Amino acid sequence: MAPHRNLEQMFNPSHIAIIGASATSGKVGHTVLLNLITAGYKGKIYPVNPNVDTILGLPTVRKINDLPQNLDMAVLCIPSEHCLEALEQLAQISVKSVVIISAGFKEVGGLGWKLEEEVIKLAKKHNIAVLGPNCLGYINIDKGINVTFAEGQPKSGTIGFFSQSGALCIGIIDWSKNKNIGFSHFISVGNKAVIDESDILTFLANDPNTKVIVGYLESVENGSRFLRNAEAASAKKPVILLRAGSSNSGAKAASSHTGALAGRDAAYEAAFKQSGILRAREMEELFQLAQAFALQPIPLGPNIAVVTNSGGPGIVAADACEHYGLTMTSLKPETIHTLKEILPSYAAFFNPVDVLGDATPTRIVQTVKTVLADEMVHSLVVLLSPTAQTPMEQIARELVAVFEAIPKDKKKPIFCCFMGGTLVNEAKNILSSAGYPCYDFPEPAMRSAKALFDYKKRKEALPPVEVTYRRDKNKAESVIKKALREGSCELAEFQAQGLLEAYELPTPTTKLCRTSQEAMDIAHKIGFPVVMKIASPHILHKSDVGGVVLNIKNKEEAKEAFLTITSKTQRLRPDAHISGCLVQAMAPSGSREVIVGVKRDPQFGPLVLFGLGGIHVETLKDFSTRLAPLTLSDAHDMIREIKAYPILAGMRGEKPINFNALEDILLIMSQLALDFPLIEEAEFNPVLVNEKGALVADIRIILAHKES
Amino acid sequence: MAPHRNLEQMFNPSHIAIIGASATSGKVGHTVLLNLITAGYKGKIYPVNPNVDTILGLPTVRKINDLPQNLDMAVLCIPSEHCLEALEQLAQISVKSVVIISAGFKEVGGLGWKLEEEVIKLAKKHNIAVLGPNCLGYINIDKGINVTFAEGQPKSGTIGFFSQSGALCIGIIDWSKNKNIGFSHFISVGNKAVIDESDILTFLANDPNTKVIVGYLESVENGSRFLRNAEAASAKKPVILLRAGSSNSGAKAASSHTGALAGRDAAYEAAFKQSGILRAREMEELFQLAQAFALQPIPLGPNIAVVTNSGGPGIVAADACEHYGLTMTSLKPETIHTLKEILPSYAAFFNPVDVLGDATPTRIVQTVKTVLADEMVHSLVVLLSPTAQTPMEQIARELVAVFEAIPKDKKKPIFCCFMGGTLVNEAKNILSSAGYPCYDFPEPAMRSAKALFDYKKRKEALPPVEVTYRRDKNKAESVIKKALREGSCELAEFQAQGLLEAYELPTPTTKLCRTSQEAMDIAHKIGFPVVMKIASPHILHKSDVGGVVLNIKNKEEAKEAFLTITSKTQRLRPDAHISGCLVQAMAPSGSREVIVGVKRDPQFGPLVLFGLGGIHVETLKDFSTRLAPLTLSDAHDMIREIKAYPILAGMRGEKPINFNALEDILLIMSQLALDFPLIEEAEFNPVLVNEKGALVADIRIILAHKES
């Protein structure tokens, strides 16, 4: 979806008014103005202050009404209780965008919450783009705009950053300067009353100065809009996000496996995966990856070479390489041949290439050049410890020259790691200012290499194929309506049969029998062995009340099973209305039991879950998730990314299952959940799959309490 | 085992000779002498140089023979080809210990390897403690000894560090200075010709200046000695190691699950676990944990409180807390009551406690004091971002005063995290110099809190109980000898029966039948249903040749099975001698199949493996390992630490297995492997366990090719 139409005016204004500009040093309205002037803004600045004539050398405007019409942008640095009035006055002069730095809104609850709602209403009415409230402001580095109250300005670069936490912004600005990490935009989104992460994603995706989008997120305002915008942004450039708040997902009591397993964070995890977002797991990692993407090209493949002057760290790098699923590549014979000319006989010519502790700058640089030229090498890690023989700054300069000499179409990602403190700090600075990230330790270097390769793999993934299945929506709807009329929010197998038919879901032959005689006859007709299960709209956990008997081999056993099941359940659940028993054909030979579930996430909508039955999903937590609508490749990947996948592929001479049939069932589950927003949770459990096909042997549906 | 008897003289010498001391700046023999003088060594220094009279103001000794008798320590800074001669001369004057810095030994292979062997021989003959060769030397900070050629000296502290990589030492010395990380000892062990990690562990464990032992290790010289010394050291103080080289473990073709799964690193993993060593996973983590242990007390429990002035990072900390299995504790009502007096109404009074971005030093410090006093809180994380209201250095100083005021018996671990660069650097310095680690980001702070709590849990673990089982070693030996006489290195079930009996291992009733008639009779006697398996010393993978039939229900089926199995196997393996079939009782009801295996690690000896049968071990890699001899608690823990443990504990109304019976089988496997060093690999697969007991249903033994 398109972002707010005034976003361009907000981040690229021709003139800026600072409402609440102050002459008193230390006040927010002073710091913001000072930052804006210091950043070198070329546009017109209007400090608005009713009491003084000039602030920081600029003539003030006494009141908002005196500002020119169609003002591009205003910053509010006034107490929250005056914001609404100011916003109304700004609307009168047709302001395009407003940054509300003031706190005291939704985050304080009560009246603040109400105030924010008024701001939203007003902004919508007048089409004003509002950033914040309760934010730090933003910085557009190349345009010389800094309307934040943070101390200091980050370096210029190609990372477009946004954050839901203002405090984090302040820390990061300060931290990033030491690390030579540079930004194009630095945006604090605050309470996201109007402008949210989805707008920012689209804005930064379209921004030519931004090479990589990086964000800190606690929540998403609009799940489906976020998915669309994130997917579009990812298609243009790498998007790396840290999502905090996974521990708040809570353990809401849920009535299905899917419900219990798919916490709130599972929806974020799926949303990120499906929209191509790379998820950072730690704060430092977020910026390490950001820098790697900002500075380095995407590799052609997974092959890594390590050049080092120290054996130990070389081994650590090789361990990390394996850990991250990259390949310590073999070098070409020509490369090894050349290395033998450059290096002493007791050096290590294989990867990691150890040039030894006594290596001179020439030996190091020649080796790096040689290894870098090897086509087998997709990414290079240069790992140096300072020794008496290594004037680190000279080496850094010579390495930069080697890296820069590579023709543009032959560039490879290069990650340096200089281990040490004062002996290497300046050398690291030389490398990172020239555009080559330099780490303290081997592991983060390898982690960055892995992230770049992951991005490459995602870019190459097949385009999504959307599928629609034939189904009888009216029939399905009548099943659901009937259940609701009967006051039931959970549909057991017995009631959900109609849904299975409406969606043409393959099921094992299943018939309802009301007497033991019927049970014998129907079982005989279906053909032994059969399964018998209690049929009651009030009993969802059939096994718990002894409501299932497997492997019934003859009429006698069928009679026995019917009587046992019905009497046992009636005793244990005297409240339940029992319609009889369902008789079902046994699982076809070679069947494996899987679970296909769905749970509606309040933000992202239906989250589909897949896993092997038995203990795999519940106990081993071996399952995969995606948000609906699933594409063909989503269904394909979900089945293959569980650990127990080899069981489906066939072990010990077993035949592989019919994957297409199982993919269909996943896709139909996705469609069912999209067709009926009333469905809160649904589960096909078990689904029986063998080499021939897949059968949904049982189904449970949980409906929302009210029509949506 | 006791360390080398001259270790004390090596690390605490009254006089030191520098063989190869040089007047030429930049030469190793010059740097070592300079470092020693600069470090402030109080003992006597003898620079040995045949050509000059004084070096760096010290009078030289012209040749080794002129040195005093019973010299405590000499450092060799001469080319490797002269080392042997020098060592011989040093032996003449009864030197106690020698540090060989010179490279050109085992690490260059060939002649170097031979040279190192000569060094070892000579050192053993004269009882000389030798550190190195090919090492950086060592630093004993409090004694003012620095016999390394590294630039600079680390700060004084309580971390005893050793490293198998010299290059890493140089990097770490330099890196640690900026981070206020201080050391008691800094030891580069080099090639470990004589003194190895086991000696160093014991030395540092006994050293009163060392509070925590930290090491970088690639390999262990003597597995069982390492285990003993590490266990003794861990009992005295925390030992944290980084083991590099896991990616070299290689995939040696192996003939059992155990063999295939238990790579070399699995033995290290088990060795570390059993000896109480904490394993760091990354280089930076090694030193972050080291600093935490060096500076902070051990917590009473898992409860964490976070005090922050920034919501976002507070959430990140809470996520990390959950991720690491720690508890974000509730605060006591009294604490919350006090907080409500200190903090504005819209602050967060619950954990994480958010004092808000406008918090003054007083508000921050009072909150920290209040939360720290709460008995529910076992460890505290203080998480600050710099704002206009936060003079970070003042806050740091006031926090230190609060921390220091806590009585000694009420100290709790405190981890600070000040996010930023230049705005917080000095504040961080104030904290870390006062003994309070301060991190850049929340996650490493929480990782450190977790490591301290892990250590507490380990210290509280029950003391190991050793167990011995009754067994008939002679009988077992005769089984193995017979197999070897027959030229067979693999004992199949059929041949290994005697071993099972010798160790009184419970087995399902199993009989050999040679004809189909016998098969029918024996099966009838055992009682249907039965299992039938091929009996051949040449067939180990019975299923692969159709050599197993399960669930034989009557005599007719028994006959059929016998004929099918024998004819099929004979056709597929015409080379195999077939003795007939084994008839075995079926698995008792409620049985779960588990695997108990053992594989001999060249360094650490028998490594016992446990896991659930089926796909769990092979595909899901869900297994646990320990080195023999297992203690009772090892066996107990191995069974409980696999993910599939709930299956054994009983799911969905199933009864829990007889854990004692299964533990017995693990302990017997450990004993079997210790009793017979000839056994390379052994596997009980499956072991059938139910609520009553455990039965070893099949066994395979792989013997070493030569008697050891």
Side-chain angles (χ1 to χ4, degrees), chain A residues 145-226:
Chain A
I145 306 176
N146 181 340
V147 287
T148 74
F149 58 94
E151 203 170 307
Q153 169 117 343
K155 297 195 175 179
S156 169
T158 55
I159 299 172
F161 176 69
F162 70 92
S163 168
Q164 197 170 337
S165 159
L168 190 137
C169 289
I170 300 176
I172 291 303
I173 289 176
D174 192 32
W175 177 81
S176 66
K177 283 190 285 184
N178 282 356
K179 303 269 173 186
N180 268 328
I181 295 180
F183 296 87
S184 53
H185 289 270
F186 205 98
I187 303 167
S188 163
V189 293
N191 291 2
K192 307 189 284 189
V194 176
I195 299 298
D196 67 13
E197 56 284 329
S198 301
D199 297 294
I200 303 294
L201 281 173
T202 305
F203 170 73
L204 292 174
N206 294 332
D207 175 53
N209 294 327
T210 298
K211 198 175 153 197
V212 47
I213 301 172
V214 176
Y216 165 85
L217 209 59
E218 288 163 16
S219 60
V220 152
E221 296 309 305
N222 179 329
S224 59
R225 187 161 172 256
F226 175 82

Side-chain angles (χ1 to χ4, degrees), chain B residues 413-604:
Chain B
I414 296 164
F415 306 95
C416 297
C417 165
F418 283 15
M419 289 179 54
T422 46
L423 294 176
V424 297
N425 282 344
E426 186 45 33
K428 290 169 100 149
N429 195 31
I430 291 167
L431 281 161
S432 57
S433 339
Y436 300 93
C438 192
Y439 303 86
D440 286 350
F441 292 103
E443 296 92 342
M446 210 55 87
R447 203 146 45 221
S448 299
K450 178 208 161 42
L452 262 62
F453 178 62
D454 279 352
Y455 181 71
K456 179 209 154 58
K457 279 195 294 186
R458 285 200 190 182
K459 291 289 276 188
E460 282 173 355
L462 295 172
V465 178
E466 296 222 358
V467 276
T468 338
Y469 281 81
R470 197 171 51 170
R471 75 276 192 197
D472 184 344
K473 268 189 82 170
N474 289 338
K475 183 172 181 179
E477 200 167 351
S478 71
V479 171
I480 289 175
K481 287 214 163 134
K482 180 163 180 275
L484 286 174
R485 266 199 312 275
E486 288 167 359
S488 138
C489 277
E490 300 198 352
L491 276 74
E493 180 176 22
F494 166 57
Q495 303 157 284
Q497 280 292 332
L499 271 184
L500 296 176
E501 287 159 24
Y503 279 80
E504 300 187 4
L505 278 159
T507 52
T509 315
T510 307
K511 303 258 180 232
L512 179 68
C513 50
R514 286 156 211 281
T515 64
S516 59
Q517 183 57 48
E518 257 185 52
M520 292 196 290
D521 295 345
I522 289 172
H524 177 71
K525 227 192 222 157
I526 288 176
F528 295 104
V530 296
V531 181
M532 209 178 295
K533 312 183 211 178
I534 191 70
S536 162
H538 304 117
I539 297 172
L540 272 101
H541 301 264
K542 292 188 280 278
S543 310
D544 294 0
V545 290
V548 182
V549 174
L550 302 171
N551 205 19
I552 296 164
K553 292 201 206 70
N554 50 46
K555 279 193 168 188
E556 206 41 55
E557 284 183 21
K559 183 181 174 183
E560 180 72 21
F562 183 91
L563 296 173
T564 313
I565 288 176
T566 46
S567 63
K568 221 188 225 172
T569 17
Q570 196 69 79
R571 203 167 58 245
L572 284 166
R573 290 285 304 276
D575 57 310
H577 171 77
I578 291 172
S579 318
C581 281
L582 291 172
V583 181
Q584 197 172 63
M586 272 286 276
S589 75
S591 282
R592 278 138 274 182
E593 294 195 359
V594 301
I595 297 178
V596 178
V598 75
K599 185 195 177 187
R600 193 167 302 273
D601 181 83
Q603 209 54 264
F604 290 102

Side-chain angles (χ1 to χ4, degrees), chain A residues 276-385:
Chain A
I277 290 171
L278 294 160
R279 184 171 187 176
R281 301 288 160 184
E282 298 199 6
M283 281 180 72
E284 185 162 20
E285 191 189 340
L286 180 68
F287 292 96
Q288 282 171 342
L289 300 190
Q291 200 186 18
F293 277 101
L295 302 178
Q296 294 300 302
I298 301 302
L300 286 178
N303 288 359
I304 305 279
V306 175
V307 174
T308 181
N309 70 344
S310 39
I315 299 173
V316 172
D319 287 353
C321 182
E322 183 178 284
H323 176 75
Y324 288 121
L326 301 170
T327 310
M328 283 295 281
T329 184
S330 306
L331 300 174
K332 287 171 72 179
E334 307 90 280
T335 306
I336 294 171
H337 185 78
T338 313
L339 289 178
K340 288 200 168 161
E341 287 168 6
I342 300 168
L343 298 174
S345 62
Y346 49 100
F349 301 103
F350 302 95
N351 193 10
V353 179
D354 186 351
V355 300
L356 302 174
D358 61 354
T360 56
T362 311
R363 198 199 289 170
I364 292 170
V365 171
Q366 282 192 347
T367 303
V368 165
K369 206 170 168 177
T370 307
V371 172
L372 206 45
D374 189 324
E375 293 122 45
M376 292 293 289
V377 176
H378 300 137
S379 303
L380 178 71
V381 174
V382 181
L383 193 54
L384 298 178
S385 296

